[in-house]
Amino acid sequence: MQGLGGVLQTAVQMMLELDDSLLEIIVLSLRVSLTATVLAAVSGFLLGAVLAVWRFPGRGSILVLLNALMGLPPVVVGLMVYLLLSRAGPLGNLGLLFSESAMIIAQWLLVTPLIAALTQQIVADLMLEYREQLLSLGTSRWTMLQTLLWEGRFSLLTVMLAGFGRAISEVGAVLIVGGNIMHHTRVMTTAIALETSKGNLTIALALGMVLIALACLVNAAVAFSKAYAERAYG
Amino acid sequence: MKLIRNILLCLWAACIALAGQAQAGEDFITLASTTSTQASGFFDYYLPLFQRRTGIEVRVVAVGTGQALKIGENGDADVLLVHDRIGELQFIRQGYGIDRREVMYNDFVVVGPEKDAARIDKMKNAVTALQKIAGSGASFISRGDDSGTNRLERRLWREAGIDPADAQGTWYKEAGAGMGAVLNMTAASGDAYTISDRATWLAFQNKADLVLLVQGDPRLFNQYSLMLVNPEKHPHVKKQQALLFMDWMTSTQGQQAIAGFQMAGQTLFKPNARKQ
């Protein structure tokens, strides 16, 4: 294997040439992880906000569980989804195993607890700030939930980024439910694992750098639009 | 309420999109196979030839033979290409697979550090070589993942009269990983030996000071076979397309294409299908 300089050079070369197979892997990675993050944001925002706004028995236990699930190993999620989607499993007749959809489902399940737990904290903090005001206006809980989510929108965007980071970086779940099939379910992380197993450590590490560059791009795009939105509506 | 309604609309649209994707039924079969056939680059060369001819795409899930058999048992693949005769025959006996066809072979090799502390270089007997490794103070890294290679290795230890489980964590290390990962570990450790299939070994790019030490023992013969996942157990198995693939791989043309895959001047897999 070459030194770090050689790796960097290979990485830059890869990004400049951007051949079809690399492009395909990048596009698939982004499509899977962005879709999963958006779905997880929808479910996580709702779940987190409900837990922040309502008081009901068992709420404390759910919160503890959610916080614990933030550390859920991807490979466990992968296994659960595998058992669910396998032909021998309850949802087997959908034939979704080893497909892009299976990877999205796995990452969605992986990211939802993270987004829900962080959302709960953000909305709960806002709730402390605005509670009296909202109550004096006689707002219903539903309206309160929507108002607070909207008030926290910029923080929630950062939460989404954290979720995206967890999704795009994991390999355990997508490898099991996607199967690392060329042209179909091969994403950045599973491609890195494959190149490593071929002993192509330089290419593997260069792919890793491309992945970091991608994550930077996504984060920069969000940071930019956030700054713009804050100026416009903040 | 508008926010909630929009959110629900988004979810609904996403569901439709996901379902649509699942419905897009292109012409493909799923092949569960071993890591050696993928990591050596064989499939990248071989499968496009079949696809050009028939338009059928072969989607490969490359795992250890043990896991590939499990995938077949669950009906998550249409065809298997694996290398563990005993496991395959049991798979057929249990009714999970039918139509077993031997298609190609190569051999296993014992690899280790150039300095070769166990002095096994050029030995012709793999069992004696393992005995020498066990007594030498050098270490042995095992796949430990119930793959075809791992199953062969365990049979060799049994024949050598050594129970490596006793040495677990001392000189015998179970990696629980694919061939490439184990070769990476062996290369990094500096004094360890392992058993690899020849294809992965030849294609492996990070050999460091690892060299091929033992080969040519008939016990190291490595047969690859095709099996169709039993359509009677799993009616969704794409029998027609899968049989087309099996027929092509065992045909004169398919066999010649196997022999045409070379690396460093060596043929990685040698065709040996019986005439249909």
Side-chain angles (χ1 to χ4, degrees), chain A residues 1 31 39 42 46 82 85-88 94 96-98 100-101 104-105 142 145-146 149-150 178-184 186 194 196-201, chain B residues 1-4 7 10-11 14 18 21-22 26 30 38-39 41 44 57 59-62 70-71 74-76 179-181 184 200 203-206 234 236:
Chain A
M1 154 181 191
R31 201 164 61 210
L39 289 177
V42 173
L46 269 181
Y82 177 91
L85 296 184
S86 165
R87 291 285 182 179
L94 296 177
L96 281 179
L97 193 65
F98 303 139
E100 199 178 322
S101 311
I104 293 174
I105 292 169
W142 259 122
L145 179 145
Q146 290 174 49
L149 275 178
W150 181 247
N180 192 22
I181 300 170
M182 196 170 50
H183 304 314
H184 288 280
R186 184 163 302 164
L194 178 63
T196 307
S197 77
K198 287 181 183 170
N200 284 331
L201 303 196
Chain B
M1 270 349 262
K2 217 166 151 197
L3 177 69
I4 305 290
I7 286 173
C10 279
L11 260 186
L18 278 181
Q21 202 182 54
E26 307 137 50
T30 305
Q38 182 178 61
D44 297 342
E57 187 194 357
R59 298 187 180 174
V60 180
V61 179
K70 191 77 200 163
I71 286 176
N74 288 341
D76 293 322
M179 194 68 251
N184 275 327
T200 308
F204 190 66
Q205 298 295 318
N206 183 38
H234 296 289
H236 58 265

Side-chain angles (χ1 to χ4, degrees), chain A residues 11 15 188 206-220:
Chain A
M15 280 184 272
M188 294 295 293
L207 276 172
M209 290 186 175
V210 176
L211 180 63
I212 294 170
L214 265 186
C216 285
L217 266 180
V218 171
N219 276 275

Side-chain angles (χ1 to χ4, degrees), chain B residues 75-148:
Chain B
D76 293 322
D78 303 302
V79 192
L80 307 183
L81 176 64
V82 289
H83 63 145
D84 176 39
R85 190 168 173 273
I86 298 170
E88 290 157 23
L89 294 178
Q90 191 186 357
F91 188 78
I92 300 270
R93 227 175 13 253
Q94 289 167 337
Y96 294 121
I98 55 173
D99 203 358
R100 176 176 177 274
R101 303 183 196 174
E102 303 190 336
V103 282
M104 60 189 191
Y105 70 96
N106 60 11
D107 58 343
F108 294 103
V109 294
V110 182
V111 300
E114 211 171 353
K115 62 175 189 278
D116 190 19
R119 309 224 159 280
I120 60 166
D121 192 14
K122 298 202 178 57
M123 285 183 69
K124 286 281 163 258
N125 188 321
V127 170
T128 335
L130 285 189
Q131 284 165 339
K132 289 194 83 171
I133 293 173
S136 71
S139 49
F140 184 92
I141 301 185
S142 164
R143 292 277 294 272
D145 64 347
D146 196 32
S147 58

